[in-house]
Amino acid sequence: MRAKTYPDGPSIKFPLVVLAQLFPRRFPFDPLAFNVSLARKYGDIAFFRLGPLRVYQVNHPDLVRQILVEQANKYYKPRLLKRAARRILGEGLLTSDGGQWKQQRKLIQPAFRHDRLSAYSDVMVAQALRAAEAFGDGEVREIGAEMGKLTLAVVVKSLFGEDLPPEATDLGQTLVAIADAANQRVSSPLQLPSWAPTRKNRREKRALARLDAVLRLLIRTRRASGERRDDLLSVLLAAADDDSPAGMSDRQLRDEMMTLFLAGQETTANALTWTWYLLARHPGVDTKLREELDRVLAGRLPEASDLPNLPFAEMVIREAMRLYPPAPAFAREPIEDVTLGEYRVAKGSLITISTYALHRDPRFFPDPERFDPERFGPGWEESIPRYAYLPFGGGPRVCIGNGFAMMEARLLLATIAQRCKLSLEPMAEIAPQQLVTLRPSGPVRVKVQKRVTARAAG
């Protein structure tokens, strides 16, 4: 039977896309609502044209599995997105493909082995405790900024140990500028060339030069010392395989460290920000989390070995990432003509997977807009199709740091929730904003109420 040409889908006026990007206030467009509407109206696969580009949105786990697992070698990261990201990330894991990607993945994998993760847990808890102790009782904080500072501290300590030079004191501001630039470049179909003397380009150029200088200094200093520490940089410096016995070049190290900085810091910060937002809106869930923490930890600090005994904390994180996935969508480009379901898809088309829409499919998540951590109770993995829940992607290119990120999110949540209750302050309505990551549309202001831990109370 001959494959059909195109699935059903909307007619998109490309000039309106341009206007929406150039004048967002006058021509508002919500890509998240658009993706959900495509899934609800057109079913498992929808099609539309964006100028000369043929776009397919896949909305069923079986098709997702076909793309990410069964025929993964027939798809690469889209060229448009790679060109936008390479100026910042270079040839790191997120932007490479084929044999180069396989070699880099093999070199980096030891840094994220399960038996190494517990080595980073003390850093995570120590940084979370410092953040919680800095919160004053009755104080109002913007929790998104606080989680950004906290996850940056964790990434810095995990990557470099105590090896940050004085030149890196403004690393937080530099990283925010680069993350903003990466989000804008990858999320926007229209981009001025990087050499154009715009304010945004100048800011991006300065921030990149600053972070490049810091990363290269750290690499040179550590190579020269020959010192090996229990941090990610030491693991990457020691990385070698049969095809690359010399390990990573300084350029490779820079690109991978930049990728780990951006991917590891912003995604976890956003996931935790949404988690606090949801807990503040659902006091019953917050109470149940606190009861579990008191019962298991009795006021002491959490450790990696405690995590199996804190299932509700994990359920809360997983449900927050279902509603607000750190990466709300990702895309692939077939490098040859492929068959997707009953349709023939031409080489060079853009295939998108909206994690945000997939996580809201009522076929797999009843009452999908409701915050319900109990969805992720015992047996949840058997209750839904394997590729219906994708907070870290899937297949060979599943996020290499997913184990690190889940451990970090749970330990930070447990440490802070033991000591602080966060209540939402009156503010403008918060909505999710789709960039490369899923950010709140505005500041999330919370009032801190210090808690007495079980041990202190006793």
Side-chain angles (χ1 to χ4, degrees), residues 7-8 35-47 56-64 66-67 340-343 351-354 357-358 361 363-364:
D8 292 334
N35 291 336
V36 171
S37 70
L38 284 182
R40 299 283 172 87
K41 185 172 182 179
Y42 298 105
D44 292 345
I45 182 168
F47 172 82
Y56 298 77
Q57 180 175 303
V58 169
N59 306 308
H60 194 281
D62 292 346
L63 296 175
V64 174
Q66 180 183 330
I67 295 165
L340 191 57
E342 56 183 329
Y343 301 99
I351 299 178
T352 66
I353 299 167
S354 172
L358 196 62
D361 193 320
R363 292 176 295 180
F364 317 120

Side-chain angles (χ1 to χ4, degrees), residues 22-183:
L22 296 176
F23 308 103
R25 292 184 180 179
R26 189 169 180 183
F27 299 94
F29 172 69
D30 183 351
L32 296 169
F34 175 72
N35 291 336
V36 171
S37 70
L38 284 182
R40 299 283 172 87
K41 185 172 182 179
Y42 298 105
D44 292 345
I45 182 168
F47 172 82
F48 59 93
R49 291 184 183 273
L50 194 60
L53 189 61
R54 296 179 296 269
V55 184
Y56 298 77
Q57 180 175 303
V58 169
N59 306 308
H60 194 281
D62 292 346
L63 296 175
V64 174
R65 179 186 179 90
Q66 180 183 330
I67 295 165
L68 298 184
V69 182
E70 296 169 1
Q71 298 182 12
N73 62 326
K74 295 182 179 181
Y75 297 90
Y76 278 0
K77 292 289 184 75
R79 287 169 292 177
L80 285 171
L81 300 182
K82 287 193 291 188
R83 279 199 295 268
R86 273 178 175 150
R87 170 171 165 76
I88 295 171
L89 300 180
E91 295 288 345
L93 271 182
L94 285 178
T95 54
S96 59
D97 276 304
Q100 180 185 4
W101 170 80
K102 289 181 181 179
Q103 183 182 20
Q104 287 172 257
R105 180 95 179 191
K106 187 176 179 181
L107 287 169
I108 296 169
Q109 190 70 54
F112 294 99
R113 286 200 315 258
H114 181 74
D115 58 352
R116 286 201 58 84
L117 291 182
S118 60
Y120 310 125
S121 63
D122 289 346
V123 166
M124 296 170 180
V125 172
Q127 294 300 324
L129 179 61
R130 180 180 299 178
E133 290 180 340
F135 291 168
D137 191 37
E139 193 175 34
V140 175
R141 295 279 183 134
E142 203 288 287
I143 198 62
E146 297 300 329
M147 292 301 100
K149 289 189 291 186
L150 174 55
T151 55
L152 174 61
V154 170
V155 168
V156 166
K157 294 289 186 182
S158 300
L159 270 175
F160 309 121
E162 301 294 332
D163 202 17
L164 279 179
E167 293 89 336
T169 53
D170 63 348
L171 192 61
Q173 293 178 344
T174 301
L175 196 62
V176 168
I178 293 173
D180 287 346
N183 267 312

Side-chain angles (χ1 to χ4, degrees), residues 408-439:
E408 179 185 10
R410 287 179 289 167
L411 288 174
L412 301 191
L413 175 66
T415 304
I416 296 174
Q418 270 186 318
R419 290 159 175 77
C420 303
K421 176 180 175 61
L422 306 181
S423 305
L424 290 176
E425 283 286 281
M427 57 186 169
E429 184 177 350
I430 296 296
Q433 179 185 19
Q434 176 169 333
L435 299 167
V436 178
T437 54
L438 195 66
R439 292 179 174 179

